[in-house]
Amino acid sequence: QVQLQESGPGLVKPSQTLSLTCSVSGGSITTNYYYWSWLRQPPGKGLEWIGYISYSGNTYYSPSLKSRASISRDTSNNRFSLQLSSPIPEDTARYYCAKMEYTDYPTDFIFDSWGQGTQVTVSS
């Protein structure tokens, strides 16, 4: 079974880039037709989808974060990463990586595997 694990600093300054990595085991990030997503949940708020990188390397982002978010992958090490530029305190959240599949493209999809999440605090 596919397992995912987030890693990265728990504290980020606004002058830095918020950078996280998701390590994937039990399956290849290049396998058709999986999409590798980042999501986050601020304290006391709902889950927000950030974006994904597809099995072929295409990326797609939430419009609200597209200007600042960048998702990349390292196929040799079977991992993908999130870079969020100019972080602000409102970016403080628990960040998750997840495996996504379309059950009926483009409207129906599921997240069927999740990392445990990692807390990131943005503070000066």
Side-chain angles (χ1 to χ4, degrees):
Q1 69 276 30
V2 171
Q3 296 187 85
L4 301 91
Q5 185 172 57
E6 304 89 347
S7 62
L11 182 63
V12 179
K13 298 182 185 300
S15 60
Q16 302 174 318
T17 295
L18 192 162
S19 182
L20 298 170
T21 295
C22 182
S23 297
V24 179
S25 62
S28 173
I29 62 172
T30 64
T31 295
N32 299 352
Y33 297 95
Y34 298 153
Y35 299 76
W36 305 92
S37 290
W38 286 100
L39 309 94
R40 67 182 185 180
Q41 186 170 34
K45 298 184 179 180
L47 206 57
E48 178 185 23
W49 180 76
I50 299 169
Y52 69 59
I53 186 163
S54 77
Y55 58 95
S56 62
N58 295 132
T59 55
Y60 186 64
Y61 305 98
S62 169
S64 64
L65 293 169
K66 184 176 182 178
S67 66
R68 297 195 293 128
S70 179
I71 299 173
S72 58
R73 66 179 183 170
D74 178 356
T75 58
S76 296
N77 291 293
N78 208 41
R79 62 190 185 189
F80 62 104
S81 299
L82 170 68
Q83 308 281 327
L84 189 65
S85 65
S86 303
I88 58 176
E90 288 73 21
D91 292 320
T92 294
R94 190 165 186 86
Y95 284 75
Y96 298 89
C97 56
K99 172 174 169 283
M100 174 184 161
E101 300 179 60
Y102 283 100
T103 54
D104 189 5
Y105 181 87
T107 57
D108 298 350
F109 53 88
I110 58 169
F111 300 99
D112 53 6
S113 297
W114 292 74
Q116 65 183 11
T118 187
Q119 178 66 36
V120 180
T121 298
V122 179
S123 176
S124 61

